[in-house]
Amino acid sequence: MHIDGRAVFGVAAEEYDRMRPDYPLGGLSQALKAGPSGGAALDVGCGTGKLGRALRSLGFETTGIEPDKRMATVAATSGLAVEVASFEDWDPGSRRYDIVASGQAWHWLAPGSRALKASHCLKPGGKLLLAWNIGSHRPDVADALASVYQEFAEEGYLTDGGQESEEQQSPIDFELFETELQEVGFKRVRLDAIPWRRRYSAAEWRSLLATESGHLSLPSDRRSLILDAVQHRVASMPGGGLEVAYECVLLTGCWPRR
């Protein structure tokens, strides 16, 4: 089932901002080192402003584009300049940016046009920065979590949603993204992955799951039952929580100087 996350994340905007992982500043700085220093940045699908705030802390004057008013309100509250629109419909006018970035959102945008639209927003010599935090579990933890969803599926509570990750709902296909960028004319297209880890308590893990599109798409009573069961299972694990092995995946490309 394909779910457009842009239509559901705003339901849990404040919790999304609180629980979703941040982007490692050192990795972002390293990825941008060959690009412009400071200047103007555009954060596409900025959500609650997590990547936009990181870019601002690195010295970029950042503008966010976000289609969900609820998400945009949280971003604006943190001081980020936000324009409410979908990237596909948004008109930059004469504005051009040193950096066009997108955190955890590029895969929600229209294939075939997103790379071209991004190129139109960049100054010559500008840089595209696409970022995702992608987590994984140890096999025993993954099996324990999967068993909870399987129980609900067998009882008819789940069909296509629930445990299905956002990557499965709207596939993150790095090979496709790289090809799109190269076909449009981006140079020095590069894919990097920065490993890091975070431990969650059972309550924190429940809160994080409650911000994911697969759960948000479920009826609220069904969602609560499933999340309660997952929280109970995680609480029974050693230490009453679990550790997630993350990779911050960064896909970058440079727009040539004409």
Side-chain angles (χ1 to χ4, degrees):
M1 180 174 69
H2 178 88
I3 299 169
D4 188 344
R6 294 177 292 183
V8 297
F9 290 130
V11 173
E14 292 185 358
E15 195 73 345
Y16 184 105
D17 193 58
R18 186 176 75 87
M19 292 306 305
R20 286 296 183 106
D22 293 318
Y23 300 96
L25 287 178
L28 297 181
S29 179
Q30 181 73 10
L32 295 172
K33 70 176 183 178
S37 178
L42 178 69
D43 183 4
V44 176
C46 71
T48 60
K50 297 186 81 69
L51 181 57
R53 293 194 296 269
L55 291 171
R56 188 176 60 187
S57 72
L58 292 175
F60 293 94
E61 183 178 342
T62 305
T63 300
I65 304 298
E66 171 55 44
D68 190 297
K69 291 181 180 180
R70 298 160 297 185
M71 301 285 275
T73 295
V74 174
T77 300
S78 69
L80 194 69
V82 186
E83 297 181 24
V84 179
S86 67
F87 185 53
E88 292 88 345
D89 296 332
W90 178 72
D91 182 3
S94 61
R95 292 175 291 180
R96 297 295 181 268
Y97 298 86
D98 299 286
I99 299 292
V100 171
S102 185
Q104 219 77 21
W106 188 255
H107 54 288
W108 296 113
L109 304 177
S113 63
R114 53 195 169 196
L116 183 61
K117 180 72 173 281
S119 73
H120 290 165
C121 297
L122 279 167
K123 297 177 182 177
K127 197 159 191 176
L128 180 70
L129 170 70
L130 309 178
W132 291 267
N133 277 311
I134 299 176
S136 62
H137 301 289
R138 295 196 325 259
D140 60 320
V141 173
D143 289 344
L145 295 175
S147 69
V148 177
Y149 293 96
Q150 183 60 36
E151 290 170 9
F152 279 94
E154 290 173 354
E155 294 173 9
Y157 282 89
L158 287 175
T159 52
D160 298 319
Q163 190 187 23
E164 189 178 60
S165 70
E166 288 166 12
E167 292 84 1
Q168 291 170 312
Q169 293 155 15
S170 188
I172 296 177
D173 185 338
F174 294 117
E175 184 175 346
L176 170 63
F177 302 159
E178 289 180 90
T179 298
E180 287 180 339
L181 298 185
Q182 291 164 347
E183 288 179 346
V184 164
F186 281 92
K187 306 299 183 185
R188 300 198 299 277
V189 176
R190 179 184 174 95
L191 189 68
D192 294 289
I194 304 165
W196 63 284
R197 291 178 176 270
R198 177 174 171 178
R199 184 166 180 82
Y200 294 89
S201 69
E204 289 172 335
W205 186 246
R206 185 192 195 283
S207 295
L208 176 62
L209 292 182
T211 72
E212 294 192 347
S213 55
H215 295 90
L216 288 170
S217 65
L218 295 170
S220 59
D221 56 344
R222 191 178 304 177
R223 179 170 66 246
S224 293
L225 283 172
I226 294 168
L227 293 177
D228 286 347
V230 172
Q231 181 176 348
H232 179 75
R233 186 64 56 88
V234 173
S236 70
M237 294 177 181
L242 55 78
E243 185 177 70
V244 179
Y246 281 106
E247 280 192 332
C248 182
V249 180
L250 301 175
L251 177 59
T252 55
C254 298
W255 192 240
R257 299 181 184 276
R258 301 298 186 187

